[in-house]
Amino acid sequence: MADARSPVYEEALLQELAYAIAHIAHAEQHLLEIDSQIAEPSLSTYIDRLRMGRKTLGEVLFGLVGVMKGGEGAESRTAAESFWCTVKHLSMAVVHCDECAEKVIRRLSEKLSTGDAVSAKSLLEDLSKIYSVRRDAFKMLIDILKGGDLKDLQVESARCREDLCVE
């Protein structure tokens, strides 16, 4: 059994935090879609609570990998601010790849059940491509998080500073 200091435990924790961030961001996206379609938007409280939860998980994640946020009003942004958007979008991309794979698998099953081998072969090739992109995106995400190159990095700007809720 892996203990709290083992590399397996650490990588598993990074992976689970990345998934949690992605799923919370995905839930936010769905609520935003719903809210944008109703006459009187009313889901902003839930959306903001989810965003704040994502912020909290981001702080935990970046604390684990040793990336710290800067001081208030700092001219330069820390790596946490600079890479937040990348981490969020890569983790969401993995979830979206999973959803794409599920849809292709459903179509693949349908084609196989009707004996349409040509379409099934094409869908199987598509599924392999989706899995390849998913593996690459997830590996890149974990490599970014595990790489020590993020520590103490300062850059000039960060698009998603507000998203990370750095105050």
Side-chain angles (χ1 to χ4, degrees):
M1 183 171 147
D3 71 17
R5 293 177 303 267
S6 76
V8 171
Y9 172 87
E10 291 298 327
E11 183 156 341
L13 181 55
L14 292 178
Q15 290 177 6
E16 292 303 327
L17 282 165
Y19 277 126
I21 289 166
H23 284 290
I24 289 173
H26 205 162
E28 285 175 75
Q29 182 181 25
H30 284 297
L31 290 178
L32 285 164
E33 289 169 359
I34 294 166
D35 219 23
S36 71
Q37 295 176 23
I38 57 180
E40 293 182 32
S42 58
L43 301 173
S44 61
T45 301
Y46 297 114
I47 294 165
D48 194 51
R49 282 174 51 197
L50 287 170
R51 186 178 70 83
M52 295 306 290
R54 192 165 41 82
K55 170 210 179 244
T56 299
L57 292 180
E59 289 173 351
V60 170
L61 178 65
F62 285 127
L64 287 171
V65 298
V67 176
M68 300 301 165
K69 62 184 182 180
E72 288 184 34
E75 295 270 335
S76 295
R77 312 298 198 255
T78 64
E81 295 166 328
S82 300
F83 282 94
W84 174 246
C85 216
T86 301
V87 167
K88 179 180 71 171
H89 288 290
L90 278 173
S91 63
M92 286 183 73
V94 169
V95 170
H96 284 290
C97 283
D98 291 346
E99 289 190 356
C100 291
E102 289 171 9
K103 288 173 178 39
V104 169
I105 289 168
R106 191 174 316 122
R107 291 184 71 196
L108 176 61
S109 295
E110 291 169 4
K111 297 300 179 185
L112 288 172
S113 70
T114 63
D116 186 351
V118 173
S119 294
K121 182 178 180 193
S122 177
L123 287 168
L124 192 56
E125 290 170 1
D126 291 342
L127 185 60
S128 292
K129 291 174 187 175
I130 291 167
Y131 283 161
S132 177
V133 169
R134 184 206 189 280
R135 278 190 306 272
D136 192 43
F138 197 71
K139 182 182 181 328
M140 189 181 311
L141 172 63
I142 297 304
D143 287 349
I144 286 170
L145 291 172
K146 287 172 56 177
D149 53 331
L150 300 183
K151 293 179 178 78
D152 302 320
L153 179 66
Q154 300 287 322
V155 296
E156 291 302 314
S157 64
R159 184 175 149 225
C160 294
R161 186 174 206 195
E162 180 65 26
D163 187 54
L164 187 57
C165 305
V166 176
E167 322 239 337

